[in-house]
Amino acid sequence: MFRYLTAGESHGEGLYAILEGVPAGLKIDLDYINYELSRRQLGYGRGERMKIEKDEAIILTGVRGGITTGAPITISVKNRDYENWERFMRTTGDIESGREVTVPRPGHADLVGGIKYGHKDLRNVLERASARETAVRVAAGAVAKLFLAEFGIRIYSHVLRVGSVEVEYPGGLPEEELKKADERPLRCLDPQVESRMIKWVDRARENGDTLGGIFEVVVFGLPPGLGRYVHWDRKLDGCLAGALMAIPSAKGVEIGDGIALANIPGRMAVDEIYYENGRFYRKTNRAGGLEGGVTNGMPLVVKVSLKPIPTQVKPLKSVDIITKEPKPAQVERSDITAVPAAGVVGEAITALVLMESFLEKFGGDHMREIKVNFENYIQTIIAY
Amino acid sequence: MFRYLTAGESHGEGLYAILEGVPAGLKIDLDYINYELSRRQLGYGRGERMKIEKDEAIILTGVRGGITTGAPITISVKNRDYENWERFMRTTGDIESGREVTVPRPGHADLVGGIKYGHKDLRNVLERASARETAVRVAAGAVAKLFLAEFGIRIYSHVLRVGSVEVEYPGGLPEEELKKADERPLRCLDPQVESRMIKWVDRARENGDTLGGIFEVVVFGLPPGLGRYVHWDRKLDGCLAGALMAIPSAKGVEIGDGIALANIPGRMAVDEIYYENGRFYRKTNRAGGLEGGVTNGMPLVVKVSLKPIPTQVKPLKSVDIITKEPKPAQVERSDITAVPAAGVVGEAITALVLMESFLEKFGGDHMREIKVNFENYIQTIIAY
Amino acid sequence: MFRYLTAGESHGEGLYAILEGVPAGLKIDLDYINYELSRRQLGYGRGERMKIEKDEAIILTGVRGGITTGAPITISVKNRDYENWERFMRTTGDIESGREVTVPRPGHADLVGGIKYGHKDLRNVLERASARETAVRVAAGAVAKLFLAEFGIRIYSHVLRVGSVEVEYPGGLPEEELKKADERPLRCLDPQVESRMIKWVDRARENGDTLGGIFEVVVFGLPPGLGRYVHWDRKLDGCLAGALMAIPSAKGVEIGDGIALANIPGRMAVDEIYYENGRFYRKTNRAGGLEGGVTNGMPLVVKVSLKPIPTQVKPLKSVDIITKEPKPAQVERSDITAVPAAGVVGEAITALVLMESFLEKFGGDHMREIKVNFENYIQTIIAY
Amino acid sequence: MFRYLTAGESHGEGLYAILEGVPAGLKIDLDYINYELSRRQLGYGRGERMKIEKDEAIILTGVRGGITTGAPITISVKNRDYENWERFMRTTGDIESGREVTVPRPGHADLVGGIKYGHKDLRNVLERASARETAVRVAAGAVAKLFLAEFGIRIYSHVLRVGSVEVEYPGGLPEEELKKADERPLRCLDPQVESRMIKWVDRARENGDTLGGIFEVVVFGLPPGLGRYVHWDRKLDGCLAGALMAIPSAKGVEIGDGIALANIPGRMAVDEIYYENGRFYRKTNRAGGLEGGVTNGMPLVVKVSLKPIPTQVKPLKSVDIITKEPKPAQVERSDITAVPAAGVVGEAITALVLMESFLEKFGGDHMREIKVNFENYIQTIIAY
């Protein structure tokens, strides 16, 4: 059983995650985790904060000399500007006034959070509801990616749409192509489309506006048989959708060709089955690598749609929760678009879901044992 | 804690569900449950099986004289043609040959299920992976709908698209309108669009083809504050997406305006906040009733996209798993489209997710206690 | 992930369990399950009911031709006298009066159950709180025992104490000895002590009284390494104690020498470690096969203490919940002692806990795969 | 849903816990948490380490200005001697040799941990399996105690036995008496018995030996109705036993009069029911406050038996895992007895279990809401 909890506020001392159930014997490359954190901070259209704060992961428990021990792993990502916020945010002792938020921002948890948890200072809501939390999940996801990599599983993401500009759908991109996403300013693989996206970002910046979009996560090297069709809550498509929809600003999740499949006749919506050289294969991957909620050996493909970041440079209409008078929502520094970075978050979350599913299927407490179990299963597939 | 497990095969003796955590004192109207089961069987474009088999729920435990006791509820929906299948499907004693499946159907769990669970008769896979399982979840969902109705929460669904025919998006439909969906052959609220959908269904039937589509679930009467933004796996958007994507054939889930939000500038993608007569309100509902993964008091709106049913009247290319020779996949009687019925399934699943979230928020062991807790909370909202 | 839910009332139509996560390819011997059910009904000092009602399990789903498919398994055990109770207990439709209980029995859930769930007819409580529920868990446990037997794991129980009569502690009993428990009227392995126990039972019957006692469960053939010390809730001693203490009437659980270990100096309370012929071993088993909450390869030994069944032939003082007047609690037919049968229940529950832990360690979806994973692990132990 | 994970090694940088589901609006008194940590370090017969290291809790997230926000709470307890261990224990970068353990200590997880997780340096096992982990659970439990105190629930513990010296069972101790346990060197309330216990501790110290014992936890102020009899895994006796048996060195758990109930006839083993002044009550509390796994309004009483700490001053027989040669297990500085401190751990764990159960029953997201729900329930009990 692999599970994890995260904690931390946007302007608190730091973010924390405890990962329980990581097997022993996994090499943890801290540079790789920090590299993943830096990927989350990239992207044309990011705000100032991202440039100031280079995130770094600290591993506090569960790893010894760079190798996991099987014990729970604690990861922390500090907030670099905490010293400026300490007097407003400290956990114990009196806090100073001056940073209260009483005008809820539309599109955020502010108002419902205040009502639900009985807060009159909405900072108590927004500090936790902030997308800042995804930093520590990217660090946790980097551990999951290191784990999956030991079994030849590789995870990529790229941007399909920013605002109204969308690439023609590039299904079946080769791995070599996907590797290049990080070289591109918006992590979009089509340079011509990307240049139009950049113009949209620039225009949005001028207008004090923000942009949503769509990213895609593609996973290579998955064995067939992850996930379970026998009970709805063990189907991998559901598990992935549940985790991905919880990404801040996510409003849509698709598996494989997704919504486009609603549009075409049944006989064109499936991936027919062939056999050659001792293995079953498909020539197409409309299903995105999942049939019946179980991996079928084709690349896993998921798409996530994001609404524009609701924090606006130009304020939105709202109401002061104390006075009940109309008042524009507070303007906070903001990214123009978070879609390129959200793709990196999507990779991390996909990795965490896959790691859980992988460990459920293969069991084992240390890497050598899991590798033997995995290899045996691969042999049974060949012999099937 | 509300939880449930389902069991049962498509041609086995019946389907079963155990629901644990239903509070005491809830009136269970069996006619209503059976009415919901009948709604799942409606819809233009359904196959013959649906017409033969009128599903009926049997409540076996947890209810006494029509009132829940707090004990786990067992619900069964029998398979009416079991007597014809008993000799092939019985759980104990020898089974007869003659119904083996060795050619996996593309788009189903058949092949990956056979590999994963080591089955050479793929009937062992398809019997459980079948969408037939949703019948008992509709029955379970009917219990959840009865529970939610006690708090004024009402759940509807309607069809937005069948094949390539889509209604112009009818956001913000009034409840009166949504009630009419069941009167329509395809559960689509726009008669003119629906007549075109029907033509598509007829044409698909002639071509031996199937059609996917999109349905929408709308929930009225939810209090603000269900779901939690404080931890990703308690966000209601994620919980809903996870459960809805596990519906057979689902390939996309959207919350509120969903993917369309990726397309518009940030300032148009939010629901500004107003206050009048002692309450906060919105004039729009682009977010679909969820901000930060928490209900905000507006109607909850989710959309699910379905691929066409992959069981084709004309067979698809596949391979016999024994001989490894190419062989067309078995043709099974099939619905042309399941989108109208899937909307009913979507209602049930939404109800089950909301009931869990509702009980987590309000606690309580019997209906009177929960109602008092609920009413208190409503008072605190008014006083906020 | 192996999990299960149970449902059913003492005088309802039947008991139900759904087991989710049983691997495919396990042979299910219905006779064995029924044999286990009959063992639960044995024992000197049982009441009339046990003699009338010979329990039989029905498998409704998840098994085909005697082999599990990997799908959820539904098991039912019918209540043979339901026809006499149907009009008082039916789930839907009006029920007749005449069987209401308004005087709570001390020592049962009656009063707290009535308060908690708002019941004025305490039958709604006692029907579910009844130890009758353990019948379906014995059936479920029989499936777990069949699973574990495939890996050479064997589970026994015997009675250590009835009332004040206790055997001198027979730690380290050989398997051959333990097999004989079922041949003894009270499942006690020391005939001389047992004859005294029988006298106590006879005297209690004459006095209209009941007796508690202690049983022990012993498990042979467990590999070292089940359970996890890395997080408290994965320690097997805790998991076992949690499940065993939930047996009706259980008031104490001990692992290995248990409470007696509190009594002796540290150097006598451990099992020193030796090595010979390629394996580590112990000469003693004071720890009962668990160190740090993990199996160490020695037999697992747990003891459960039961209070006397609180249902008395002579009534106890209580109060009518309607009139609030003192009134003796209802006298129900009762066993004099349930300790021998409870041992069988303890075996079943131990089996269910071990099966969950086993599947977590070895993963796998069908028996062949799990066996290979298991065998590999055994090899790594030898090579350690 | 209240849940938590802990992490950390005995000689690593520190211990960590994340608590998810703590309601908003709870005042967190850091001094109180540190007071609880100091109570865990008290007790005659503790080793040197306890005297050197005064534990202090740091709250890193989830609390602002001393009030919970509803967000996950991270608590850390640093290891004060980490600087001396840093080069052997650091998570990343090379570690120095010199602190390897290759001779497993009997009675600890060392050997099975090494086999299970594939470690050849058993330090990787013992660092996590150490009872040091309970420090952060005492801190977490202090949060739970603060929560419960808001509803008038108070938790105490005292020592019943050390080695062979046991107090005559003091059932039904008044709260005033229990408060005095911390004033006593061994936390035993009978001074004369305690003086004999002290002699045993002194003698064990001279002999290089250790002592186990029994402690009792008593909880006042619980409402009737916590826990659920409707499903075995929601029964509070099972939940408590599961959590308490996972305390390091615990080998027995009893509820109420526990094992002694196996010894007496049924009519003396129950708590008869009376009614006066508008409420039901009992004159005895043999059941320890739980009937059917549900609190009945009487004080909750649980007893935990501990084996002697298996770390001996004089070494035990063992085997080097590398050479396979017999070799005495490493001698580590040790407490003579941990029973007084374990009682404090037992309080914390009891508090955590009760808090989960309390939140499940009463729901709510902030303290005011929960208090209203609680108060309503109390009213319904009075009106029952």
Side-chain angles (χ1 to χ4, degrees), chain B residues 155-171:
Chain B
I155 303 181
Y156 304 91
S157 70
H158 62 117
V159 169
L160 291 175
R161 173 193 280 263
V162 169
S164 293
V165 187
E166 185 162 4
V167 298
E168 203 171 328
Y169 181 59

Side-chain angles (χ1 to χ4, degrees), chain D residues 41-248:
Chain D
Q41 295 187 291
L42 294 178
Y44 193 82
R46 307 307 302 275
E48 290 305 303
R49 185 173 181 182
M50 287 301 160
K51 289 171 190 159
I52 303 167
E53 299 169 27
K54 194 167 177 310
D55 283 327
E56 272 181 58
I58 303 167
I59 297 178
L60 294 157
T61 73
V63 180
R64 190 166 169 233
I67 310 285
T68 59
T69 64
I73 296 174
T74 306
I75 305 178
S76 175
V77 178
K78 301 293 181 194
N79 289 323
R80 290 195 179 273
D81 51 357
Y82 179 56
E83 63 183 88
N84 299 322
W85 283 85
E86 201 269 342
R87 66 189 194 276
F88 307 111
M89 289 297 297
R90 59 184 153 229
T91 56
T92 50
D94 292 335
I95 53 172
E96 290 181 23
S97 63
R99 287 292 190 171
E100 293 80 1
V101 176
T102 60
V103 184
R105 296 162 305 157
H108 285 278
D110 299 5
L111 180 58
V112 289
I115 289 169
K116 180 179 178 75
Y117 286 101
H119 292 306
K120 285 295 186 177
D121 178 359
L122 302 180
R123 179 158 301 285
N124 289 327
V125 178
L126 61 90
E127 285 288 335
R128 179 61 188 161
S130 163
R132 174 74 187 143
E133 185 266 353
T134 60
V136 80
R137 274 203 284 162
V138 165
V143 172
K145 288 174 97 172
L146 288 169
F147 171 80
L148 294 167
E150 298 272 334
F151 302 92
I153 298 166
R154 299 92 64 196
I155 303 181
Y156 303 92
S157 69
H158 63 117
V159 169
L160 291 175
R161 174 193 279 264
V162 170
S164 294
V165 187
E166 185 161 6
V167 298
E168 205 172 326
Y169 181 59
L173 284 170
E175 191 170 357
E176 283 315 303
E177 197 68 21
L178 286 159
K179 281 183 180 166
K180 294 177 189 159
D182 286 349
E183 301 167 14
R184 314 284 327 160
L186 281 170
R187 310 193 65 248
C188 173
L189 293 171
D190 182 326
Q192 291 187 321
V193 174
E194 193 179 50
S195 64
R196 284 193 287 133
M197 288 175 177
I198 287 173
K199 279 179 200 150
W200 270 72
V201 171
D202 292 340
R203 203 180 322 157
R205 183 182 287 113
E206 287 161 27
N207 294 342
D209 215 333
T210 56
L211 295 172
I214 302 177
F215 68 82
E216 183 175 81
V217 175
V218 186
V219 188
F220 294 93
L222 287 169
L226 297 188
R228 290 190 171 160
Y229 62 84
V230 292
H231 204 268
W232 69 269
D233 60 356
R234 305 313 299 158
K235 289 178 69 180
L236 200 54
D237 42 13
C239 296
L240 284 164
L244 291 166
M245 192 68 97
I247 293 177

Side-chain angles (χ1 to χ4, degrees), chain A residues 222-228 236 293-295 354 357-358 361-362, chain B residues 116:
Chain A
L222 287 169
L226 297 188
R228 290 191 170 157
L236 200 54
V294 183
T295 56
L354 291 173
S357 185
F358 194 97
K361 166 117 192 79
F362 295 108
Chain B
K116 180 180 178 74

